[in-house]
Amino acid sequence: MRPTVAAPESVTWAVHLDRAMWVAGVRALMLQALHPVAMQGVWQRSDFRSDPTGRLLRTAHFVAVTTYGSLEEADRLGAHIRRVHRALSFTDPATGRRHRVDEHDLLVWVHCAEVTSYLETAVRAGVPLTPAELDRYFDEQSVTATYVGLSRDDVPRSVADMRRYLARVRPALRVTPEARQAVRFLLWPTVPEHLSALAPLRPLWFPVGALSYATLPAWARREYGVLPEVPGQEAAATAALRTLRAGLNRVPERYYNLIFDEATVRSAEESRERLLAAGYRVENGFRALRSLTRFRAPDPAAVPAPDGAASDGSGPDGVVPSPRVPADS
């Protein structure tokens, strides 16, 4: 059995463990809010307004578990999410229609808004990915969609498929008062109780929120109108994103992990032990100083193929993962 949902040599691992994901995660929430029906589901049936930071941390936990968690851990979390979603419904005030939180089209939109935000932000921040790896990322992430109740073929599995989906859904997207208010929450969120010690650092969040907003599509920024547009904004946002990423990637792991919930950190520690037991080796030493633990894959000839994997070193679907490992900066 595979030690982690995604292998350290996968594109998913390279994108999701990069520290530009803080910007990517907030951008995803801002993008999701542009779907009027999906936004009503969040507005009416979540604690987003009272704890936007908590929602971001829960999203971070889901991304973590479906990246480096065990298969059993991811299955448990997915089952919990599906069970919660089944029990929730809301009313669209524009139509009076009752909706379930787990409606197919809403789940697809949330998935696509997330993975496109993660990938686009990572690439703009400087994560080097080839065109083939961009396609592979969307294909790998179709597995993640299954944890919320979709099938792999329900979601786009390549760049071309994703572009077609976004073009098709674009006419339905618009800024509602709730969406605009959500963006304001995300630009200046409350600090959850378990992070109260970090409250004095709250002003440092604004650059993350502002960058998340600045990396939205131009049409979305114009419709939101929350922050002013400036000449050369696209290039400036990309440069600032790369600077922020470089700074975050120099923070030692032991300090960086203080941001996350205990369950997320524990999942990371358990995944490290499983990877070592499976023959992976930690590639960079000095644990107290390193910003990101990097793993070297075991020699395929020396390690039996895991359940469901091909003997030629390919993944469960016969896709050979990228040999590149994410860098520290």
Side-chain angles (χ1 to χ4, degrees), residues 38 44 67 78 80 124 127 153 184 194 197 200 215 230 246 275 279 302 312 315:
Q44 297 179 34
T67 299
H80 171 73
R124 289 182 68 175
V127 177
D153 290 332
R184 293 194 177 102
H194 76 280
T215 56
V230 297
L275 287 166
D312 61 358

Side-chain angles (χ1 to χ4, degrees), residues 153-237:
D153 290 332
D154 283 333
V155 298
R157 296 177 63 172
S158 70
V159 171
D161 287 346
M162 184 62 76
R163 285 175 177 162
R164 283 190 288 270
Y165 169 78
L166 294 175
R168 189 168 65 250
V169 76
R170 169 66 184 90
L173 304 180
R174 60 184 175 87
V175 173
T176 61
E178 293 85 358
R180 189 171 286 111
Q181 188 63 30
V183 165
R184 293 194 177 102
F185 280 131
L186 291 166
L187 288 170
W188 193 252
T190 56
V191 178
E193 185 176 344
H194 76 280
L195 294 178
S196 58
L198 300 179
L201 301 178
R202 187 185 180 198
L204 297 178
W205 175 261
F206 185 76
V208 175
L211 263 179
S212 304
Y213 180 90
T215 56
L216 286 169
W219 67 265
R221 299 195 308 269
R222 287 193 298 270
E223 288 204 17
Y224 271 128
V226 173
L227 294 178
E229 291 288 303
V230 297
Q233 181 160 315
E234 295 291 339

Side-chain angles (χ1 to χ4, degrees), residues 84-146:
V84 170
H85 284 178
R86 278 197 300 270
L88 298 178
S89 61
F90 62 96
T91 300
D92 179 4
T95 63
R97 179 184 167 189
R98 196 73 179 164
H99 292 269
R100 289 169 53 109
V101 169
D102 61 355
E103 285 181 10
H104 175 273
D105 289 353
L106 299 182
L107 293 178
V108 171
W109 165 248
V110 169
H111 170 87
C112 292
E114 287 179 351
V115 297
T116 54
S117 291
Y118 300 162
L119 186 59
E120 181 172 338
T121 303
V123 170
R124 289 182 68 175
V127 177
L129 296 174
T130 67
E133 288 173 321
L134 300 180
D135 282 335
R136 190 178 303 148
Y137 174 76
F138 286 130
D139 188 61
E140 291 173 359
Q141 283 306 292
S142 67
V143 175
T144 304
T146 66

Side-chain angles (χ1 to χ4, degrees), residues 29 103 167 207 290:
L29 295 178
E103 285 181 10
R290 64 175 176 245

Side-chain angles (χ1 to χ4, degrees), residues 14 17-19 127-128 245 249 291-292 294 324-329:
L17 268 69
D18 193 87
R19 293 181 178 179
V127 177
R245 174 180 179 257
N249 280 351
S291 63
L292 174 66
R294 291 183 293 166
R324 184 184 43 71
V325 179
D328 280 350
S329 62

Side-chain angles (χ1 to χ4, degrees), residues 125 238-248 250:
T238 298
L241 184 56
R242 293 190 174 212
T243 299
L244 178 66
R245 174 180 179 257
L248 289 175
R250 285 175 172 79

